[in-house]
Amino acid sequence: MSWSSLLPNVQEDPILWLNDREQICHVIPLPSKGPIRGGFGVATTYRVLILSPTLKILAERMNAPPPGSLVPLGSFTVAYCSHGDFKLRYLTGVPESFGQSGLIASFPLPMYNYCPHWMLGIRPDRFLFNSNHNGTRLVERGQPSKFFC
């Protein structure tokens, strides 16, 4: 079985080498525009990558822990939420662009525990995201109602 049968944007059977103990968390195909074949957005345990259709790394940004999701913003650009600082960021592999990575927006910090944001989509007038709270609320024995463990 070849890569091109699994991923229609791939023309050949390329290889992408990862670092030691690095695992792929998300892969999204980026849309093609006319004759220009879209690349791939990839999130690993350590990085967010923009890959060409031949799996050449066009752009990368260190990001740990990995984002919960990637959202395409074009043939060679993705948006994602960075968990460490609760910011909506972009990464682009477009040559001669105004920056390979940057900040789109900041989300409010969670009050009592780690709460990652998962991007669902971006529209011209809004961001679609889901906040996932992984804490357990415990209110007993006189503890305040805003206490999480």
Side-chain angles (χ1 to χ4, degrees):
M1 184 176 299
S2 68
W3 275 96
S4 57
S5 65
L6 296 173
L7 301 169
N9 286 4
V10 175
Q11 298 172 354
E12 304 167 6
D13 289 335
I15 295 174
L16 172 66
W17 295 100
L18 300 176
N19 298 328
D20 289 341
R21 296 189 182 108
E22 185 175 22
Q23 297 177 356
I24 293 180
C25 301
H26 305 289
V27 176
I28 61 165
L30 300 174
S32 297
K33 186 174 184 180
I36 300 172
R37 297 177 67 99
F40 297 96
V42 177
T44 72
T45 49
Y46 302 119
R47 305 180 282 176
V48 175
L49 306 163
I50 301 292
L51 304 177
S52 71
T54 59
L55 298 188
K56 176 185 170 203
I57 297 175
L58 300 176
E60 68 180 310
R61 182 168 176 18
M62 298 307 286
N63 191 61
S69 61
L70 298 172
V71 175
L73 290 180
S75 298
F76 295 101
T77 306
V78 295
Y80 63 95
C81 291
S82 55
H83 291 309
D85 58 1
F86 305 100
K87 305 225 185 291
L88 176 59
R89 299 183 178 277
Y90 72 88
L91 179 66
T92 183
V94 176
E96 300 177 15
S97 61
F98 53 88
Q100 282 198 330
S101 120
L103 177 68
I104 297 173
S106 295
F107 291 114
L109 295 174
M111 300 230 1
Y112 304 107
N113 205 338
Y114 178 73
C115 179
H117 298 291
W118 292 341
M119 285 304 302
L120 303 174
I122 295 181
R123 300 294 177 258
D125 61 341
R126 67 191 66 159
F127 305 127
L128 307 172
F129 67 94
N130 182 23
S131 295
N132 177 33
H133 193 285
N134 60 357
T136 303
R137 187 167 183 184
L138 177 63
V139 181
E140 61 180 23
R141 297 187 201 105
Q143 294 173 338
S145 62
K146 296 181 179 179
F147 180 75
F148 284 91
C149 59

